Amino acid sequence: MDSGRPAEAEAVRGATATWADGARGHLVGRERELGEFEHFLDDPDGPGMLFVHGERGAGRSVFARAAAERLRARDHMVVPLVCVRGDQDRPLLLALRAVAAVREHRSLAGRADPDAEVLRVAEGGERAVLTDALLSAAEAGERAALADALLSALAQAAPVAVVVDDAQYADAASLNVLGYIATQRLPETRLVITSVRHTSEAGDSVSRRRRDQAVGLLTEVGAAQKIILSRLPRPQLAEMVARRSQAVPDPALVERVLGLTRGVPAAADALLTEWSRRDMVRIADGHAFLAASARVPVLPDEDRFIRALHELGEPCWTTAAALSVLWPLGRTAMTLAAETTGLSGPEVADGVRGLIAAGLLDALPGEDGGGPRGWTFRSPLVEHAVRGRLGPLERGRMSAAAVEALWAARDDADAAAAPHRPALLVEEADAETYLPDRIADAGVLIDRDRAVAELTAAAEALHPDPEDRGMLRWFRAALRLIEEPAARELALLRCVKAAWVVGEHPTAGRAAEAILRDPSDVLPGQELQEVASLQVVAAAAGNDWTQLSRMGSAEWWDRLPLPPEAAVPARALALCLAEQWQEVLDLLSRTEAVWRTNPHARLIPELAQAVAHMAQGRTDVLARNLDVPPEPSLPPETLYSITAGYALQLLGAADLSGAMALLTDRGMPPEALPPGTRFLLLQLQGRWDDALALARFMVAKDQTFTAPPQHHLFAAGMAAILVARGKPVGAARLIAGERGNRNGPLEVFLDVADAEVLRTMGRPDAADHTLRRGLREADARGYVFGTDELAAALAMVRAEMGRADAAATCLWRLDELAGRTGSGRTRLLYLLASARVRGQGSDAARKMLHEAVDLARSRGQPFETAVTLSAAAGDAGPPELLHEAYELYGETGSVLRRFHTRAAMREAGLTVPRRKQATAENEQLLATLITEGLTNRQIATVLRLSEDAVANRLSRLFARTGLRSRTEVVSAMLTGNPLTTPDR
């Protein structure tokens, strides 16, 4: 029948669906709390109520959903309820909802309803079941009647669980009823209540009592257990990032998330969501990194934290806006907030109290129990979101007030003359960046000269600023404040160099061109040459090969008012980067009188000349340049750059000994090399874990550019490591991502790496095609550098295909190259290829392999040596050489090569050492190949096994680890989890 109470009926039904139908979240880092919950369920004599509390965003609702799932798994009927703002003003509303929801769920579950008189209120196709008597009792505030009705409904529905979310909004009378229910300890009945409770004890007593009423009323009865959801520590945040990205998170990414969110799960989720929308989390070889261009996002209006702030209204919102700029000033922040916003002091104080009560702000405890030293946002992410909503004038006005206060304190101004007490930063603030940031925001509102001086000094103190904390931003801010032309040009030069250092290459290129279009006398020719060269490299780093080609022409440089000693080296550099090697040599030959005028001017031309000759197959010029010691008058940064340039050429030619000798002679530690050059060094040294860690970082941060002729050597080197570690698909994807620019550098090294992937996947014909194409393109462009690798790989492929005659041409080319270049690497390639083509049984082959082993050992490169030893084992040497190769493959982590070597050892009748470790490696390799997405047939090809053997290995992997599918294997591998279950 119709009750005539539509408002009551709507209120009763209204809060049962929101939580139940809400978005599902994955519970991360709550294993301990879930264990406590399971204990709560397992204890028949334990409390009947579980109270779960935590601050806003701690994951109470997600935990409640997980609890509900476990209750359903135990055959409990689960009744979900949600309280909303305003419920606290309607006595017994929650109790009434609980009765209605339990009865309705019981009815829907098909359990008998003993009540004779039933009120059914239809809305949206669902029903709430109540009696007129209960509605009247609720209106009259009769707690006992509601308690009896709820007890009766729960007893009839058992096993049953009522899960109430957001009980901080519940009315006190209903909470009293639930507390009474808990004391009755009904069999097979559970109550789970969640509520916001912030850890801070600051705030006014009224709001604190309202916030804690659920805690007090529900725990004082002695029949409730309490679980506190604390913030997530670093390991659990890492797990969250891993699950979101399906990759192993970089420690720096996890540290950034922790610093911005302080471990609050919802804040971390919001941060990762915003970064994902902007493609700021990059995946490289199964590892997640924060992109170099990533900035802290401004949370949208619909975010829970921003909604909570909007709901507070004024003066909380304006106070929060002011404190987002001023809080590092401690107590002085309140005074400045009032001065800059128009609020009165009491209004600011009220705003602070409201923000603390809402869990958005924390008071910083004072010394000896005194008043607070100041206030800070609980989440720096929220602080940034509030500050990001300020207009430039508001932020500038507040920043100017902060700067003036700090300057007054620094100048030790007389307290009587100062407009307010001198400000000091609280220790929780970032003292290194706060003042420069505020100066940058204040701009013209403060003393220009002092602002420029302090911004410049702060930026120079941060150099090279690898974390991009502010160096470039402050240099730019100083530039905006400078009016005198000569000083502006020097400031612009600082911006050019800073942009290059932090990886903003397009910005560096544009700023460099601005200087070169109208240079003044304030910059000497040496600086102009550096700026011109930087503009050239910026174009190459941005893959703007068309622009680079223009820069190789005389017309491009003739339009700029530059002295020849600046223009000629930059043009030669452009020709080098465009791989126009003969044009480089012709230009430098014609202009030698220009660029040999001083030690600095000739550095780039000499290096360009050596590289051009090397690309054409002559290494004598490079050797001659290296024999000449550097000019003592060169500044350290110039000496560093030129030494790094020569080291790159040596490492690109696989001359590890030569590169190390150069670094030792020039006093440069290997760790100081640029990332791309250091990667090549680590690869040749066999430190592949370190090399891959660096490579992933470079890929994620867009720092992979390497100048020709080594342009593609980074990608090829990384691909070679991936193939040796059982990741041919990842290697192929990496190679494909580097290809495709017809105007770009020759792809010699990509062809070599691509062919290795194809050979591994059992496609020798495709490998043959790729290598032949690479040789044709190199010959067409007069390119010799790197063709030894192409020819050697082609000879090996043809020998494997039984085409010894076709391989002979490759051997002739290799022999000629080895004689022309004198390269140890080329000689080694020739020896190995010749022995393979001629067959190991011949005397000539054995002789070549003996020489190859001696040469490889003298070169000191673990992987190269292991490959040579593997080839030489058997007819050319004792099978025990396989043991040595096996260990060297282990040093580099070449698990696929180790697998093949184990098979060769067994075939030779040798014992495989450390069988347990070998078994674990086999399983890890199999899991890696599964993660690559390979089918059983493809895995069999890669491992050189039968499909049945692969299937058997896969079954054993599932049985040992407890994983049930390929999908679970992939998830475990991508998130960095071990291939085991907790009980195995």
Side-chain angles (χ1 to χ4, degrees):
M1 61 184 182
D2 186 357
S3 69
R5 295 184 172 93
E8 288 83 346
E10 182 179 357
V12 168
R13 183 201 174 275
T16 60
T18 305
W19 175 79
D21 298 336
R24 295 293 183 264
H26 184 87
L27 199 61
V28 174
R30 299 301 186 194
E31 290 76 13
R32 178 183 59 81
E33 291 86 351
L34 284 174
E36 293 180 29
F37 178 70
E38 293 288 352
H39 179 73
F40 164 73
L41 296 180
D42 291 336
D43 186 359
D45 299 322
M49 176 182 290
L50 177 68
F51 185 77
V52 181
H53 75 70
E55 63 184 294
R56 179 177 285 104
R60 294 168 293 100
S61 297
V62 179
F63 188 89
R65 286 194 287 270
E69 290 172 5
R70 282 162 171 74
L71 286 161
R72 290 189 184 98
R74 293 173 179 243
D75 295 325
H76 278 63
M77 183 180 76
V78 177
V79 180
L81 297 169
V82 162
C83 300
V84 296
R85 188 180 299 276
D87 285 358
Q88 64 267 31
D89 299 325
R90 305 190 67 176
L92 292 175
L93 177 61
L94 175 59
L96 199 61
R97 285 174 174 169
V99 174
V102 172
R103 288 181 176 179
E104 183 174 14
H105 278 69
R106 184 183 66 215
S107 176
L108 293 175
R111 304 181 189 183
D113 190 336
D115 294 309
E117 185 181 5
V118 174
L119 168 66
R120 294 178 178 176
V121 181
E123 180 176 329
E126 298 194 32
R127 301 176 301 170
V129 185
L130 289 173
T131 64
D132 271 330
L134 281 178
L135 290 172
S136 298
E139 289 178 352
E142 297 176 3
R143 300 183 187 183
L146 268 296
D148 289 342
L150 185 54
L151 277 172
S152 174
L154 291 171
Q156 292 292 328
V160 63
V162 177
V163 181
V164 181
D165 197 19
D166 281 342
Q168 71 273 9
Y169 297 129
D171 63 280
S174 291
L175 293 174
N176 186 280
V177 168
L178 293 179
Y180 170 75
I181 297 296
T183 63
Q184 302 308 299
R185 302 180 187 273
L186 293 176
E188 296 189 290
T189 300
R190 300 290 183 180
L191 302 178
V192 179
I193 315 293
T194 81
S195 177
V196 167
R197 188 187 187 202
H198 306 300
T199 55
S200 172
E201 293 303 322
D204 66 275
S205 58
V206 173
S207 63
R208 188 165 65 251
R209 281 199 304 274
R210 173 168 289 184
R211 187 182 65 234
D212 291 350
Q213 61 184 344
V215 180
L217 291 171
L218 298 179
T219 57
E220 287 173 4
V221 297
Q225 178 179 335
K226 183 165 61 176
I227 290 179
I228 301 173
L229 299 180
S230 57
R231 297 180 178 185
L232 297 181
R234 187 176 287 100
Q236 279 67 45
L237 279 179
E239 183 184 353
M240 174 185 283
V241 178
R243 288 186 179 277
R244 285 290 302 267
S245 63
Q246 282 293 286
V248 180
D250 174 53
L253 170 58
V254 177
E255 192 65 32
R256 186 74 167 136
V257 173
L258 179 62
L260 287 170
T261 68
R262 306 272 170 82
V264 177
D269 184 73
L271 176 62
L272 292 171
T273 297
E274 293 302 314
W275 271 337
S276 297
R277 287 176 182 171
R278 294 162 172 79
D279 191 28
M280 291 294 103
V281 177
R282 306 287 173 78
I283 309 300
D285 185 32
H287 288 66
F289 295 83
L290 194 60
S293 57
R295 296 291 182 265
V296 181
V298 175
L299 296 177
D301 287 341
E302 60 269 19
D303 177 81
R304 73 180 68 201
F305 299 101
I306 304 304
R307 285 203 316 268
L309 183 54
H310 278 298
E311 288 170 358
L312 293 175
E314 293 295 353
C316 291
W317 177 263
T318 299
T319 301
L323 291 181
S324 71
V325 175
L326 300 169
W327 74 263
L329 298 175
R331 294 184 182 181
T332 305
M334 287 189 71
T335 303
L336 297 182
E339 292 178 0
T340 56
T341 63
L343 295 176
S344 67
E347 286 175 323
V348 172
D350 287 343
V352 167
R353 283 192 291 271
L355 292 167
I356 291 174
L360 297 171
L361 211 64
D362 272 342
L364 299 174
E367 299 179 0
D368 301 325
R373 292 179 289 115
W375 303 267
T376 182
F377 283 81
R378 293 174 72 88
S379 168
L381 183 63
V382 175
E383 172 196 335
H384 178 80
V386 175
R387 188 167 57 247
R389 283 170 165 77
L390 290 173
L393 292 178
E394 289 178 290
R395 191 164 55 247
R397 186 170 61 252
M398 295 172 185
S399 294
V403 172
E404 295 292 355
L406 288 169
W407 280 352
R410 183 189 297 174
D411 296 341
D412 196 23
D414 179 58
H420 43 66
R421 193 165 67 95
L424 296 174
L425 294 179
V426 296
E427 59 184 355
E428 289 79 4
D430 186 343
E432 194 171 20
T433 64
Y434 179 73
L435 179 56
D437 278 343
R438 298 289 71 79
I439 294 174
D441 283 343
V444 297
L445 299 179
I446 55 177
D447 182 273
R448 283 176 177 264
D449 293 339
R450 184 168 183 176
V452 168
E454 295 208 11
L455 285 170
T456 303
E460 290 174 343
L462 274 189
H463 186 276
D465 195 17
E467 298 176 1
D468 193 16
R469 296 175 63 202
M471 177 183 67
L472 178 57
R473 184 169 67 254
W474 301 338
F475 275 140
R476 283 172 168 168
L479 176 63
R480 288 192 295 268
L481 293 172
I482 297 173
E483 296 178 316
E484 198 273 318
R488 279 189 60 81
E489 191 161 33
L490 290 174
L492 186 57
L493 178 61
R494 287 192 289 267
C495 290
V496 169
K497 295 181 178 180
W500 181 261
V501 167
V502 300
E504 291 195 19
H505 299 153
T507 299
R510 289 191 296 270
E513 185 171 6
I515 292 176
L516 298 178
R517 281 199 303 264
D518 186 24
S520 68
D521 295 338
V522 73
L523 294 182
Q526 176 179 322
E527 289 282 13
L528 289 175
Q529 178 187 331
E530 185 176 349
V531 173
S533 299
L534 192 148
Q535 186 184 11
V536 170
V537 179
N543 294 322
D544 191 349
W545 307 113
T546 302
Q547 174 72 347
L548 199 65
S549 179
R550 296 192 192 102
M551 290 179 171
S553 67
E555 292 77 13
W556 200 91
W557 295 99
D558 288 345
R559 70 185 181 87
L560 299 175
L562 296 178
E565 61 268 23
V568 169
R571 183 185 171 196
L573 181 59
L575 290 169
C576 270
L577 295 175
E579 294 186 324
Q580 298 178 32
W581 306 117
Q582 190 56 50
E583 289 85 345
V584 172
L585 297 175
D586 292 343
L587 171 65
L588 295 178
S589 176
R590 295 194 310 269
T591 59
E592 187 168 359
V594 173
W595 55 264
R596 282 204 183 275
T597 54
N598 64 72
H600 188 277
R602 69 170 183 253
L603 291 176
I604 290 179
E606 284 180 345
L607 178 57
Q609 198 173 54
V611 172
H613 280 299
M614 190 172 69
Q616 295 183 341
R618 286 183 55 194
T619 58
D620 56 314
V621 177
L622 177 66
R624 191 162 58 246
N625 286 357
L626 292 174
D627 285 340
V628 178
E631 177 65 37
S633 62
L634 291 174
E637 59 271 18
T638 302
L639 180 60
Y640 165 83
S641 297
I642 207 67
T643 301
Y646 280 111
L648 173 61
Q649 308 313 314
L650 293 169
L651 292 170
D655 186 358
L656 177 61
S657 299
M660 294 304 294
L662 172 67
L663 295 177
T664 301
D665 182 61
R666 301 287 173 90
M668 178 187 292
E671 295 77 18
L673 288 170
T677 308
R678 186 152 45 97
F679 168 80
L680 297 179
L681 177 68
L682 293 170
Q683 183 193 11
L684 296 181
Q685 289 177 328
R687 296 166 57 188
W688 281 10
D689 286 340
D690 294 336
L692 272 185
L694 177 60
R696 296 181 196 114
F697 178 85
M698 292 167 61
V699 169
K701 302 296 184 180
D702 297 325
Q703 295 181 5
T704 60
F705 172 76
T706 306
Q710 291 86 9
H711 181 72
H712 294 298
L713 202 52
F714 165 77
M718 188 176 178
I721 294 176
L722 294 179
V723 172
R725 292 190 163 192
K727 298 181 178 181
V729 176
R733 191 180 301 117
L734 177 66
I735 294 166
E738 288 289 310
R739 288 195 184 277
N741 195 319
R742 294 183 179 180
N743 297 321
L746 203 62
E747 298 178 349
V748 170
F749 295 109
L750 293 181
D751 292 330
V752 175
D754 208 353
E756 181 62 20
V757 172
L758 294 168
R759 288 173 65 188
T760 301
M761 297 299 294
R763 300 177 59 196
D765 289 337
D768 182 280
H769 172 76
T770 297
L771 293 167
R772 284 188 290 109
R773 181 193 63 205
L775 283 170
R776 283 197 307 270
E777 292 178 355
D779 291 344
R781 292 169 63 170
Y783 211 101
V784 175
F785 182 74
T787 57
D788 53 348
E789 301 283 351
L790 284 169
L794 184 57
M796 291 290 193
V797 168
R798 289 177 169 177
E800 291 170 2
M801 298 170 67
R803 301 173 58 199
D805 292 342
T809 304
C810 302
L811 297 181
W812 175 86
R813 181 192 284 258
L814 277 171
D815 191 22
E816 190 273 334
L817 285 174
R820 188 200 309 185
T821 65
S823 164
R825 172 63 179 171
T826 308
R827 176 64 181 172
L828 181 60
L829 291 172
Y830 168 73
L831 294 171
L832 292 176
S834 295
R836 179 69 179 84
V837 171
R838 299 182 185 190
Q840 288 190 344
S842 67
D843 290 339
R846 280 195 290 270
K847 183 177 180 181
M848 286 180 171
L849 288 172
H850 281 305
E851 181 186 346
V853 169
D854 291 340
L855 178 57
R857 283 179 169 155
S858 71
R859 287 169 53 80
Q861 300 178 29
F863 185 77
E864 180 186 79
T865 303
V867 171
T868 305
L869 294 172
S870 297
D875 292 340
E880 286 75 17
L881 289 178
L882 288 173
H883 275 296
E884 187 179 349
Y886 185 70
E887 295 302 322
L888 288 172
Y889 283 137
E891 288 181 15
T892 60
S894 305
V895 290
L896 181 56
R897 292 275 189 166
R898 290 254 290 184
F899 182 90
H900 293 152
T901 306
R902 279 194 290 272
M905 292 168 71
R906 285 191 292 268
E907 186 177 342
L910 300 176
T911 302
V912 177
R914 300 180 294 279
R915 296 297 297 272
K916 188 174 182 180
Q917 177 185 343
T919 300
E921 280 187 14
N922 288 343
E923 289 187 347
Q924 192 73 14
L925 175 59
L926 180 59
T928 299
L929 294 169
I930 291 171
T931 305
E932 288 280 283
L934 300 184
T935 65
N936 280 12
R937 175 175 294 182
Q938 291 171 319
I939 293 174
T941 299
V942 172
L943 297 181
R944 303 170 192 169
L945 298 173
S946 68
E947 285 189 62
D948 288 342
V950 171
N952 290 335
R953 287 171 180 266
L954 188 56
S955 297
R956 290 197 296 271
L957 175 67
F958 288 153
R960 191 192 69 78
T961 62
L963 300 172
R964 295 168 293 180
S965 67
R966 284 172 171 259
T967 301
E968 289 189 5
V969 172
V970 171
S971 180
M973 293 290 288
L974 290 180
T975 55
N977 294 322
L979 295 177
T980 56
T981 55
D983 57 341
R984 290 179 182 269

